[in-house]
């Protein structure tokens, strides 16, 4: 394969021979730039503890340090690295610092960074199975592994269910919890519209969604993105009597009143580990209330879900077998660098029914056979990175015992 | 800073001293794992041309090669790398191969991979300016640089407009074009609802959106995600008489008929370089039609937008000064690895008006001063990677002349 005459592109891009011209993926340059970057990262990790976590810069500082127009000529990679050291680092809020305690943790690991690096270099776009079988199958495998660590019911897993054939459950890795909320909200919305026999989306004004007032603001935003009526997005008050968790009796009362008023309860978001108060909504009890109204239940366990890989914390997910979907973000507490939000659903057809596209240029035998997962149909976009690799790398390299040790160590420190 | 007593977390995470326990970010391990990954990438680039582009694997192949349950114990990083070599690589569709000609290109470069690697290691979550000033300002700067290369009007740029103070324009880097479409659709939807005095979202059944039938399927999906009525998502037929570009006269006729029927034209997506036929919708003429109806015009230049950094191809964007938003993806043709979709809008307030959240835990002086950009308010989610670094790295290292040479070389090859 490949000769100068037959395939000039090969030489332009990879520069395997002495052809003149621009070779942005010349393997020698790739190796050189990346080794330099690794040495920078080493120095950064060695020094970050001594840097102030919050930089003392004023808005607009970077523009005063770097040129305001793009250069015409190329420059050695060292120039960019010098500007990173001198202009970028001093303006960073150092999430990687051991002294960083703001927001929620953004934990990371050597294995995750390596996985992300390899994925960036391979740079595949695995929208369908065919577009990268390894990426799709690795994502599916990593999600099944993590589901096992979390002891999610088999109904959420992609794995073949033995003699009974493939189940309807499955997962996908998304960028943010907000996207997990959005795609499940849209699926629940469409199901509710069908259920009430809506003429197009006319019935949307009757659909209602629910969450405790401790729920992350991005949930209420996701509801608006999906077109729900602001008046029908119900924030349920909580208080110290339930440790700021959702009160199922109050939820039932509000939902019943809505039904009596002709509204259609469509979706409930239950949080395991809220952002402001770390409250835990009672998953099983919420699912029981939702079942009366045929409403979709989603669990947002973005941060605290990682803790549920430890048997002693797993009870926070009790009842998960009765919900429709659950998401959690290993980029928060399971040492997998941004971005990595895992979404599992009990019935992938409910997702793909709303999110599937089938353009001519993506048609292929594997997809039409129905034996493969095309992950584009479980997310907002079409393009997608090979995110499964880093998540698998973390579990493969560290193993569940070390991951549990990491969680327990953090919990113990929090108790001090 | 940092002693065992004062800050045990530092030693747990970074392992700077001889404390026993799990040290997933031990700098020595980070360096070792990453150098090994770089060597793997070097070997991969050296060999990828000789690999079949499409792997000969059957659905489920990976599960037969790797263990189906996560391991309990940790394993040397070399084990994971061995499995990547033996199980992942043989199942890859090699987008990085010079023999890959499917779909659209997914171009990459040494500088981009380096930028992504550094961002992964820093692993910041720059939702607000304060959460990482350098990441926010670098993203803004990289977008302004690219806007200059594309000769976008200054009204789309973030840069201060001299004595007149900051303009209303600005940009954001998103994951996919679909997200760019979704956030602009939602903004246009909300503006139209306000304009017609809708009671909540009741008026949504009257809102209409338009695009040529050559438009990417993800546009029609984004419309459904945003809650538009399927019947009001108009696919305008095209044909050889306009080279499959949108016919402004036909668009005007359809929009006027909709208005006459009591509907409200809300959004038009014009594509510069469609997926199936590479058609180009006439931007200026579309903008003129849209102006009659106060409809939002978005340009999707995902793939072909990169070519517009060359003066001889720039005319495809003529009229851009009259549209509301434009997106293009450097991860397609500007050598910036996934994911990197740039969205510019003329009035950021129209975006943030629909997408802003303001939870207590994110409040800070810089945001409240109004002098900074909080990029979370221009996207679906809250969390976000430091994507600006790789885009800036590409322009900083290669310079505009080489980037233009890259485009021209590809165009010349396509003509052969």
């Amino acid at each position: 394969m490949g000769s100068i005459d037959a395939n000039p592109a090969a030489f332009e891009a990879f520069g395997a021979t002495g052809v003149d011209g621009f070779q942005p993926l010349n393997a020698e340059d790739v190796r050189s730039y990346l080794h330099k970057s690794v040495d920078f990262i080493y120095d950064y990790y060695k020094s970050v503890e001594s840097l102030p976590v919050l930089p003392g810069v004023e808005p607009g500082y970077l523009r005063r340090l770097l040129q305001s127009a793009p250069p015409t000529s190329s420059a050695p990679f060292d120039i960019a690295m010098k500007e990173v050291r001198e202009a970028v680092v001093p303006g960073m809020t150092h999430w990687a610092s051991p002294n960083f305690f703001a927001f929620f943790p953004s934990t990371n690991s050597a294995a995750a960074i390596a996985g992300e690096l390899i994925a960036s270099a391979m740079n595949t776009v695995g929208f369908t199975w065919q577009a990268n079988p390894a990426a799709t199958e690795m994502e599916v495998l990593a999600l099944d592994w993590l589901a096992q660590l979390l002891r999610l019911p088999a109904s959420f897993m992609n794995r073949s269910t033995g003699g009974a054939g493939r189940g309807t459950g499955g997962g996908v890795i998304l960028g943010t919890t907000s996207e997990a909320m959005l795609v499940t909200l849209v699926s629940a919305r469409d199901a509710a519209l069908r259920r009430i026999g809506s003429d197009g989306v006319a019935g949307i004004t009757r659909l209602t969604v629910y969450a405790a007032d401790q729920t992350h603001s991005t949930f209420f935003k996701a509801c608006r993105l999906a077109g729900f009526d602001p008046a029908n997005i119900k924030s349920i008050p909580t208080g110290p009597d339930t440790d700021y968790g959702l009160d199922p009796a109050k939820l039932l009362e509000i939902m019943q009143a809505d039904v009596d008023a002709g509204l259609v309860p469509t979706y409930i978001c239950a949080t395991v580990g809220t952002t402001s108060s770390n409250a835990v909504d009672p998953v099983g009890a919420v699912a029981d209330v939702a079942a009366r109204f045929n409403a979709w239940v989603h669990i947002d366990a973005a941060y605290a879900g990682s803790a549920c890989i430890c048997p002693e914390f797993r009870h926070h997910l009790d009842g998960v077998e009765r919900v429709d979907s659950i998401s959690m973000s290993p980029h928060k507490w399971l040492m997998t660098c941004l971005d990595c939000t895992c979404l599992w659903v009990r019935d992938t057809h409910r997702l793909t029914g709303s999110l599937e596209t089938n353009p001519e240029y993506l048609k292929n035998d594997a997809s039409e056979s129905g034996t493969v997962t095309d992950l584009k149909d479980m997310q907002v976009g079409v393009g997608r990175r090979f995110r499964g690799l880093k998540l698998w790398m973390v579990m493969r390299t560290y193993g569940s015992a070390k991951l549990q040790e990491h969680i327990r160590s953090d919990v113990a420190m929090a108790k001090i």
Side-chain angles (χ1 to χ4, degrees), chain A:
Chain A
M1 284 189 195
S3 74
I4 287 188
D5 292 329
N7 192 358
F11 295 90
E12 203 247 345
F14 282 79
T17 67
V19 174
D20 279 348
F22 184 35
Q23 302 174 344
L25 278 183
N26 177 299
E28 315 301 329
D29 286 344
V30 170
R31 183 166 61 178
S32 159
Y33 289 19
L34 293 181
H35 278 315
K36 286 177 182 181
S37 301
V38 174
D39 291 338
F40 164 82
I41 291 166
Y42 179 82
D43 293 344
Y44 178 72
Y45 278 177
K46 282 292 196 185
S47 65
V48 67
E49 188 178 356
S50 66
L51 302 173
V53 171
L54 266 180
V57 296
E58 294 298 317
Y61 92 95
L62 192 68
R63 209 171 278 265
R64 290 188 283 272
L65 296 176
L66 299 181
Q67 54 194 85
S68 60
T72 305
S73 322
S74 55
F77 182 64
D78 292 346
I79 299 291
M81 286 307 300
K82 181 170 184 287
E83 294 185 353
V84 167
R85 282 193 174 84
E86 296 178 359
V88 175
V89 173
M92 299 276 295
T93 300
H94 296 290
W95 289 64
S97 168
N99 303 311
F100 179 90
F101 294 108
F103 312 118
F104 273 125
S106 161
T107 59
N108 205 354
S109 61
I113 304 168
E116 185 75 64
L117 169 59
I118 292 169
S120 300
M122 290 177 156
N123 203 35
T124 63
V125 193
F127 30 65
T128 57
W129 178 88
Q130 185 209 38
N132 188 351
T136 298
E137 299 207 7
M138 180 58 93
E139 184 161 331
V140 162
L141 182 69
L143 287 163
D144 276 4
W145 277 20
L146 185 51
Q148 290 174 65
L149 291 185
L150 294 167
R151 288 194 287 154
L152 295 186
S155 53
F156 283 99
M157 297 191 197
N158 294 278
R159 63 178 173 190
S160 163
T161 52
R166 203 163 161 278
T168 59
V172 63
I173 303 181
L174 305 172
T176 59
T177 297
S178 315
E179 185 177 358
M181 290 169 167
L182 177 62
V183 296
T184 51
L185 276 163
V186 166
S187 301
R189 178 199 73 190
D190 292 351
L193 288 174
R194 280 192 300 274
R195 206 160 61 229
I196 63 173
S198 171
D199 177 19
V201 300
I204 200 169
T205 54
R206 292 174 51 207
L207 309 188
T208 53
V209 297
Y210 308 85
D213 59 5
Q214 298 299 306
T215 304
H216 197 288
S217 55
T218 207
F219 170 70
F220 302 100
K221 173 172 165 178
C223 294
R224 297 196 309 271
L225 291 176
F228 287 93
D229 200 300
N232 292 350
I233 303 168
K234 311 279 177 112
S235 173
I236 317 246
T238 62
D241 50 318
T242 59
D243 278 340
Y244 296 93
L246 192 55
D247 175 354
K250 201 176 284 176
L251 176 67
L252 174 59
E253 188 187 325
I254 293 174
M255 291 177 85
Q256 187 57 54
D258 284 344
V259 170
D260 294 344
L263 299 173
V264 181
T266 299
Y267 187 102
I268 304 166
C269 178
T271 307
V272 172
T274 62
T275 300
S276 299
S277 54
N278 211 4
V280 176
D281 294 331
V283 170
V286 168
D288 292 339
V289 172
R292 297 192 184 202
F293 305 100
N294 211 3
W296 185 298
V297 180
H298 178 74
I299 301 178
D300 165 18
Y303 140 72
S306 294
C308 299
I309 66 169
C310 299
E312 67 270 32
F313 304 127
R314 169 58 174 75
H315 63 92
H316 291 303
L317 292 182
D318 284 355
V320 63
E321 66 281 359
R322 302 200 295 283
V323 310
D324 298 281
S325 53
I326 172 172
S327 60
M328 53 83 72
S329 298
H331 63 232
K332 285 192 190 285
W333 203 10
L334 216 56
M335 308 188 314
T336 307
C337 51
L338 282 179
D339 41 13
C340 184
T341 292
C342 300
L343 168 67
W344 292 271
V345 292
R346 258 200 303 159
D347 185 353
T348 55
H349 300 308
R350 295 179 68 186
L351 265 196
T352 57
S354 287
L355 303 174
E356 192 172 42
T357 55
N358 195 19
E360 192 61 34
Y361 80 102
L362 289 182
K363 286 184 180 162
N364 66 85
D365 292 344
S367 296
E368 293 186 8
S369 75
T371 59
V372 299
T373 303
D374 288 335
L375 292 170
K376 73 173 173 59
D377 295 333
M378 297 174 69
Q379 64 176 19
V380 168
V382 182
R384 56 200 328 277
R385 296 186 354 268
F386 186 177
R387 292 191 189 103
L389 188 61
K390 62 183 173 184
L391 180 59
W392 174 82
M393 279 269 194
V394 166
M395 291 184 283
R396 182 71 189 93
T397 299
Y398 301 122
S400 57
K402 289 283 184 202
L403 296 176
Q404 290 172 340
E405 182 185 322
H406 149 74
I407 297 287
R408 287 174 182 140
S409 162
D410 283 4
V411 171
M413 277 193 288
K415 281 188 178 158
I416 291 172

